């Protein structure tokens, strides 16, 4: 059932507290622990054997856990398996909270492609310019325009956004909303849920470099702000996908996938400032992003 509400000047869209009607602590714990366990199973239990199988199938040296580097199979398998976090997060929300699957995407009960498309007008050109400027600083080589490199580039364009969306549905979707359901006051709910998910997002990437951890935490905060402000996951998914795809695509075309590593050091101040700036811009233009997009009441069973 769809209900129409007038636009409000409040910074809170209701997305975070959409599960508030079932605030029991056991539900929050089950959602958080269940979601993280699914991710650990995907990364630790499935990605390595699946990646090794793909490597052998395409005839390249398989991923070696004792000397971990990105192989083609491990990278593709990891992207596709992380994409499974989308239906897994929806299923956990349905089982634990009884909420309709689509409410994890947005307050409209569906993924709002129009919101993503409008945000892309701002995000994609900015990130394209950023990626072009930063690549020489990162030492990326020249592209190799061979059939195999172009094929891998196409695989990147298809699978990286799915991987990015999977992470967003878990952290800014399921866990964010499960924690937010515990608190009556929207501001308190937002502060606690954002802190928890941003720290988890920083830790889960496994970097020991404080600059990198801080970078991931800032990204986690910004994505949480945008999810609640816009009332859904479309904008966080877009920025996450644009960042990962546009930064990694030149590396893949240069044949340097095996050398991919998490950036570290003060250079990360640049993307931090970029993410904060784009967050402020998208905050201001949110009414335009949401124009003529109806809201939906949370459906519980």
């Amino acid at each position: 059932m769809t209900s129409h509400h007038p636009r409000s000047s409040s910074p809170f869209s209701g997305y975070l507290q959409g599960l508030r009607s079932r605030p029991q602590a056991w539900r929050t714990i089950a959602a958080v622990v269940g979601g993280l366990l699914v991710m650990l199973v995907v990364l630790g239990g499935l990605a390595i054997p699946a990646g090794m199988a793909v490597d052998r199938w395409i005839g390249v040296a398989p991923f070696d856990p004792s000397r971990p580097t990105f192989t083609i199979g491990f990278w593709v398998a990891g992207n596709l398996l992380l994409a499974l976090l989308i239906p897994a997060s929806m299923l956990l929300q349905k089982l634990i909270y009884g909420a309709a699957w689509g409410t994890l995407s947005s307050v409209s009960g569906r993924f709002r492609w129009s919101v993503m498309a409008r945000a892309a007008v701002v995000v994609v050109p900015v990130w394209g310019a950023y990626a072009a400027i930063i690549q020489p600083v990162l030492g990326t080589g020249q592209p190799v325009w061979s059939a195999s490199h172009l094929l891998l580039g196409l695989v990147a364009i298809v699978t990286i956004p799915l991987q990015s969306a999977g992470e967003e549905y878990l952290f800014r979707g399921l866990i964010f909303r499960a924690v937010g359901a515990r608190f009556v006051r929207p501001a308190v709910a937002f502060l606690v849920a954002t802190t928890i998910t941003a720290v988890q997002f920083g830790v889960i990437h496994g970097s020991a470099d404080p600059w990198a951890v801080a970078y991931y935490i800032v990204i986690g905060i910004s994505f949480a702000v945008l999810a609640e402000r816009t009332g859904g996951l479309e904008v966080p998914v877009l920025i996450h996908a644009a960042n990962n795809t546009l930064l990694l695509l030149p590396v893949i075309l240069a044949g340097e996938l095996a050398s991919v590593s998490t950036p570290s050091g003060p250079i990360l101040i640049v993307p931090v400032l970029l993410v904060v700036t784009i967050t402020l811009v998208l905050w201001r233009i949110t009414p335009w992003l949401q124009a003529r997009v109806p809201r939906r009441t949370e459906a519980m069973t």
Side-chain angles (χ1 to χ4, degrees):
M1 179 178 179
T2 302
S3 60
H4 299 272
H5 301 274
R7 298 290 173 186
S8 170
S9 59
S10 170
F12 302 107
S13 64
Y15 175 75
L16 170 61
Q17 292 189 292
L19 305 174
R20 177 67 194 147
S21 63
R22 293 185 173 178
Q24 295 88 346
W26 72 265
R27 297 184 194 273
T28 296
I29 294 171
V32 173
V33 173
L36 292 176
L37 283 177
V38 169
M39 186 170 194
L40 290 175
V41 168
V42 164
L43 291 178
L46 299 178
I48 292 176
M52 294 173 70
V54 173
D55 284 330
R56 292 191 183 96
W57 179 61
I58 63 178
V60 301
F63 176 80
D64 184 356
S66 64
R67 291 182 299 173
T69 58
F70 273 101
T71 62
I72 295 173
F74 179 68
W75 168 65
V76 173
N79 285 347
L80 293 177
L81 286 169
L82 283 172
L84 294 178
L85 292 174
I86 301 173
S89 297
M90 288 181 168
L91 178 60
L92 284 171
Q93 178 182 259
K94 178 66 174 177
L95 293 175
I96 296 168
Y97 286 96
W101 294 59
T103 58
L104 192 59
S105 296
S106 77
V107 293
S108 295
R110 58 183 173 79
F111 193 90
R112 302 165 301 176
W113 292 100
S114 61
V115 172
M116 173 179 274
R118 289 176 181 175
V121 173
V122 177
V123 171
V124 174
V126 170
W127 246 268
Y130 160 64
I133 293 170
I134 203 70
Q135 291 301 330
V137 179
L138 299 177
T140 305
Q142 294 298 312
V144 179
W145 304 109
S146 66
S148 60
H149 285 75
L150 290 173
L151 178 59
L152 281 179
L154 179 60
V155 171
I157 292 171
V158 172
T159 65
I160 292 177
L162 293 174
Q163 163 262 319
S164 302
E167 293 184 12
E168 290 308 308
Y169 269 79
L170 174 61
F171 289 103
R172 258 65 63 179
L174 177 65
I175 298 177
F176 189 55
R177 280 161 56 89
V179 175
R182 290 287 301 144
F183 301 92
V184 175
R185 294 180 179 275
V188 176
F190 179 77
L191 178 62
V192 176
T194 298
T195 300
I196 289 175
T197 54
V199 171
Q200 287 176 337
F201 192 65
V203 171
I204 204 72
H205 281 84
S207 177
D209 179 65
W211 289 96
V213 174
Y215 162 70
Y216 286 119
I217 289 176
V218 170
I219 283 185
I221 294 171
S222 295
F223 287 176
V225 168
L226 290 171
E228 177 59 15
R229 171 64 170 168
T230 62
L233 297 177
E234 299 87 359
V235 176
V237 167
L238 170 67
I239 300 176
H240 197 153
N243 180 74
N244 289 6
T245 304
L246 294 174
L247 288 179
L248 192 57
L249 190 57
V251 176
I252 291 171
L253 292 176
E256 299 175 357
L257 181 61
S259 65
V260 168
S261 61
T262 302
S264 60
I267 187 64
L268 289 171
I269 293 176
V270 176
V272 164
L273 292 176
L274 177 62
V275 169
V276 171
T277 301
I278 207 74
T279 298
L280 293 174
V281 171
L282 293 171
W283 175 286
R284 293 294 301 273
I285 67 171
T286 291
W288 173 68
L289 298 178
Q290 295 176 318
R292 294 184 298 279
V293 178
R295 291 172 55 97
R296 171 179 173 168
T297 56
E298 293 281 341
M300 300 289 185
T301 58

